Amino acid sequence: MKVMAQLGMVMNLDKCIGCHTCSVTCKQTWTNRAGIEYVWFNNVETRPGQGYPRRYEDQERWHGGWTLTKGGRLKLRSGGRFKRLLSIFANPVLPRLEDYYEPWTYDYANLIDAPLSDDFPVARPKSLITGENMKITWSGNWDDNLGGAPEMGHLDPIVEKVRREAEDKIKFEFEKTFMFYLPRICEHCLNPSCMAACPSGAIYKRVEDGIVLVDQDRCRGWRQCMTGCPYKKVYFNHKTGKAEKCTFCYPRVEVGLPTVCAETCVGRLRYIGLFLYDADRVTAAASTPDPQDLYEAQLDLLLDPNDPQVIAAARAEGIAEDWLEAARRSPVYALAKKYRVALPLRPEFRTMPMVWYVPPLSPVVDLLRDQGHDAEAAGNLFGAIDALRIPVEYLAELFTAGDTATVSDVLHKLAAMRSYMRDINLGRDTDESIPAAVGMTGHEMYEMYRLLAIAKYDERYVIPKAHEEQGHDLEEMGCSVDFDETDFGSAAFGEASGRPVPVAVETFQALRQRQTTDLIRAPEDMRGRVNLLNWDGKGVPSGIFPDDDGHKKASSSS
Amino acid sequence: MSVLLWGVLPYFAIVLLIGGTVWRYRYDQFGWTTRSSQLYESKLLQIGSPLFHFGILFVVIGHVAGLVIPESWMSAMGVGESAYHVMALVIGTIAGVGTLVGIAILIYRRRTIGPVFMATTKNDKVMYVVLVGAIVLGLITTALAIAAGTGGSATAESYNYRESVAPWFRSLFVLQPDVATMAAVPVAFKIHTLVGMLLFAIWPFTRLVHAFTAPVHYLFRPYIVYRSRDARPAPGMTTPRRGWDPVGTKDRESAPARTPSRRS
Ligand code: SF4
Ligand code: SF4
């Protein structure tokens, strides 16, 4: 047993309102640069829908992820090493820009520069690739909120499959439809096929926290990772010729802050914490013959952080005590393995993804409510989950390789929680038969409710800081051991003099206070250094917003 | 003059090639990439690129066989002069033509597909001229050799580059350039050699460097790469690197101020 730590995320899909705040803040932080205008490390897709890039899940076409050879061994779906090398001159299964979308901007200058005339000036869309006028026909979330579903709904690979199996069951008629949002980031897989496909070996998994990164200096632009990743979460920067991907906001998590997408999530539905897993068994687990068993195999890799044997083995691997403590408090471990309500996305790709999803009960609840039933009574909900085959089948394709039993177990738990808590909230006697029906105790149910519904900041994000004894290894705190935490940022000649202060050190203390209070505090305590990376929505910091007279103030006004 | 061309220039080229590569490898890892344009256009690339790359691989092998391996060794291996020539001409012609057609498709693509053209730098253009020059001249020498081979045997003698160019090439590496031999070869060979030297001289400074990091080690490395955190300065602590350029299109930035009279 080789114990390793892995940062993981869980998203509670019931709470996602599809506002795209996460995508926008992520873009502002990481991909607002030339060459990756079309790139969304975080995207939110409406399901049913084609996703981004279009139909990325259709591995018949894109050849992402792993398959098993006849002998049961794991093999990249796009072919073995030799075949891959032969295809580096022209990758036959690379998504085209049209499969993402052609990025554009608007000719805003025209609004101001146009001469006086009877017609209103318009800002025409200009391609960010060619600079020409263009017609906008697709984007990262063109089919948002089922837009165009009657014509294009069948292009969702899962709809296609479920329909094939059950003759036209998913209807896009208004009254029969269901929908939910699926926010996606890189899965920071345990068995990443992007990495396996990289000829240069530029993609690596960090030993300390399992974050998967592309070494920008080693990447040579062979474009194999984009094919390798079944989730299409590695992108090509067409200006620099290098692959880029979600970084799990490593500069933030190294100092204990959640990722930008999680921090800014309006629905507060993202959880970040540690998993401990057995690295020696990853390949074996990913080689599980029946795709429907992959979910169990993946759960099996996750080690119980309370098990003394695991703790001893983790210590032997040099995992620090505070990390072990964080692993014990990990919300993601609780949701994935303790309560078993979080499921991996498309486990059949065999990459062992580490972003998990609590499937949405809302399609079922909405249908019940629309039909005039009490959508909070356990009996109704249980019955509906079993009767409404379509949402369940769809979710099963998404999360369990088609195993509907697992998905409906999870939905039963969520339904039970809903009706059990209604009794508590209304001050009625609790019905202990409800949790019992899903194999839980009333206490467990309440704990799960706290985690899922109350979702306190401290409980959602349990992120151990990277270690000071490894200070020299830290990217963000490279030479910061001598920074005094209370007196950050001032040097002999005033604030802007001396060595630059690492952003995270400077703001960590201030941020921690701000994020754990409910006060709207003046932004002054951020020393005028608020930017989108660290702004938490409190106050109106100068430097982000224009002044009333429309001019941007220098951000160091004090 | 001959000494300059065949005794000094080659060393310049070699120094530039090696020195430039070492320098670039140390100072420009980030710029060391294929700068693939497949994202913009894939159909033409699917034909042109493999044709060119596989062609040029064979051309390289051919050059090694012709220039590096002495004729006597070859004969000792049982490959006689005529057998070698037939082989070299047939394979050389096929590979050369393949390479040329490939690069023709790639250049056509570069010129006609808007985004690809926009992503073409001046550096690329210079490189293309030299590269195509070297390939075309190489094919011309091959054609001449064929013509000579079919002509009288007397002239064929002088085109046996394995008795002229190759010994000169090898003599470079023992630091005793055999200038006289090279000075006597037909002019087509001379020009091809010169352009070749130019190509090697500019190689490290163009996108061609990606060839030096051909990922052969992929065949042997483990699939999953674990690595510890890097000891690197934080992004916020250094000046912004390349790759952090603002969004926009070049043409719009450089376009003259919009003519206000334009109305629809
Ligand atoms: S989801 Fe992330 S880690 Fe997994 S294969 Fe894709 S890019 Fe790699
Ligand atoms: S910010 Fe949160 S609620 Fe909004 S789309 Fe993203 S994940 Fe959903």
Side-chain angles (χ1 to χ4, degrees), chain A residues 186-189 192-195 212 229-231 233-234 245 351:
Chain A
C186 161
E187 304 278 343
H188 296 276
C189 309
S193 49
C194 58
M195 190 181 289
V212 176
C229 173
Y231 304 95
K233 278 291 173 193
V234 196
K245 64 178 286 302
T351 62

Coordinates of all heavy atoms in Angstrom, one line a residue, chain A residues 186-189 192-195 212 229-231 233-234 245 351, ligand 1:
Chain A
C186 N -11.2 20.3 -14.9 CA -10.4 19.1 -15.1 C -10.6 18.2 -13.9 O -10.7 18.7 -12.7 CB -8.9 19.5 -15.2 SG -7.8 18.1 -14.8
E187 N -10.6 16.9 -14.1 CA -10.9 16.0 -13.0 C -9.7 15.6 -12.1 O -9.8 14.9 -11.2 CB -11.5 14.7 -13.6 CG -12.7 14.9 -14.5 CD -14.0 15.0 -13.7 OE1 -14.0 14.6 -12.6 OE2 -15.0 15.5 -14.3
H188 N -8.5 16.1 -12.5 CA -7.3 15.8 -11.8 C -7.3 14.3 -11.4 O -7.1 13.9 -10.3 CB -7.2 16.7 -10.6 CG -7.0 18.1 -11.0 ND1 -5.8 18.6 -11.3 CD2 -7.9 19.1 -11.2 CE1 -5.9 19.9 -11.7 NE2 -7.2 20.2 -11.6
C189 N -7.4 13.5 -12.5 CA -7.6 12.1 -12.4 C -6.5 11.4 -11.7 O -5.3 11.8 -11.7 CB -7.8 11.5 -13.8 SG -9.0 12.3 -14.8
P192 N -4.6 9.6 -15.2 CA -4.9 10.5 -16.3 C -4.4 10.1 -17.6 O -3.2 9.7 -17.8 CB -4.2 11.8 -15.8 CG -3.2 11.4 -14.8 CD -3.6 10.1 -14.2
S193 N -5.3 10.1 -18.6 CA -4.9 9.6 -19.9 C -4.3 10.8 -20.7 O -3.6 10.6 -21.7 CB -6.1 9.1 -20.7 OG -7.2 9.9 -20.6
C194 N -4.5 12.0 -20.3 CA -3.8 13.1 -20.9 C -2.3 13.0 -20.7 O -1.5 13.1 -21.6 CB -4.2 14.5 -20.3 SG -4.0 14.6 -18.5
M195 N -2.0 12.6 -19.5 CA -0.6 12.4 -19.1 C 0.1 11.3 -19.9 O 1.2 11.4 -20.4 CB -0.5 12.2 -17.6 CG 0.8 12.2 -16.9 SD 0.5 11.8 -15.2 CE -0.3 13.2 -14.6
V212 N -2.9 17.9 -11.3 CA -2.3 17.5 -12.6 C -2.0 18.8 -13.4 O -2.8 19.7 -13.6 CB -3.2 16.7 -13.5 CG1 -2.7 16.4 -14.8 CG2 -3.5 15.4 -12.8
C229 N -7.3 13.2 -23.3 CA -8.3 13.5 -22.2 C -9.7 13.3 -22.7 O -10.2 13.9 -23.6 CB -8.2 14.9 -21.7 SG -9.5 15.3 -20.6
P230 N -10.5 12.3 -22.1 CA -11.8 12.1 -22.5 C -12.8 13.2 -22.2 O -13.9 13.3 -22.7 CB -12.2 10.8 -21.8 CG -11.4 10.8 -20.6 CD -10.1 11.5 -20.9
Y231 N -12.4 14.0 -21.2 CA -13.3 15.2 -20.8 C -12.9 16.4 -21.6 O -13.5 17.5 -21.4 CB -13.1 15.4 -19.3 CG -13.4 14.2 -18.5 CD1 -12.4 13.4 -18.1 CD2 -14.7 13.9 -18.1 CE1 -12.6 12.3 -17.3 CE2 -15.0 12.8 -17.4 CZ -13.9 12.0 -17.0 OH -14.2 10.8 -16.2
K233 N -10.4 18.4 -21.4 CA -10.1 19.5 -20.5 C -8.6 19.9 -20.6 O -8.1 20.6 -19.7 CB -10.4 19.1 -19.1 CG -11.9 19.3 -18.8 CD -12.3 20.8 -18.7 CE -13.7 21.1 -18.6 NZ -14.0 22.5 -18.9
V234 N -7.9 19.5 -21.6 CA -6.6 20.1 -21.9 C -6.8 20.9 -23.2 O -7.5 20.4 -24.1 CB -5.5 19.1 -22.2 CG1 -4.2 19.8 -22.1 CG2 -5.6 18.0 -21.2
K245 N -4.1 23.7 -19.1 CA -5.3 23.1 -18.5 C -5.5 23.7 -17.1 O -4.7 24.5 -16.6 CB -5.1 21.6 -18.3 CG -3.9 21.2 -17.5 CD -3.8 19.7 -17.4 CE -4.9 19.1 -16.5 NZ -4.9 19.7 -15.1
T351 N -10.3 6.9 -16.2 CA -9.2 7.8 -15.8 C -9.3 8.0 -14.2 O -8.4 8.7 -13.7 CB -9.3 9.1 -16.4 OG1 -10.5 9.8 -16.1 CG2 -9.2 9.0 -17.9
Ligands
SF4_1 S1 -9.7 15.3 -16.7 FE1 -7.8 16.4 -16.3 S2 -6.4 14.9 -15.4 FE2 -8.1 13.8 -16.3 S3 -7.4 13.2 -18.3 FE3 -8.5 15.1 -18.6 S4 -7.0 16.8 -18.4 FE4 -6.1 14.8 -17.6

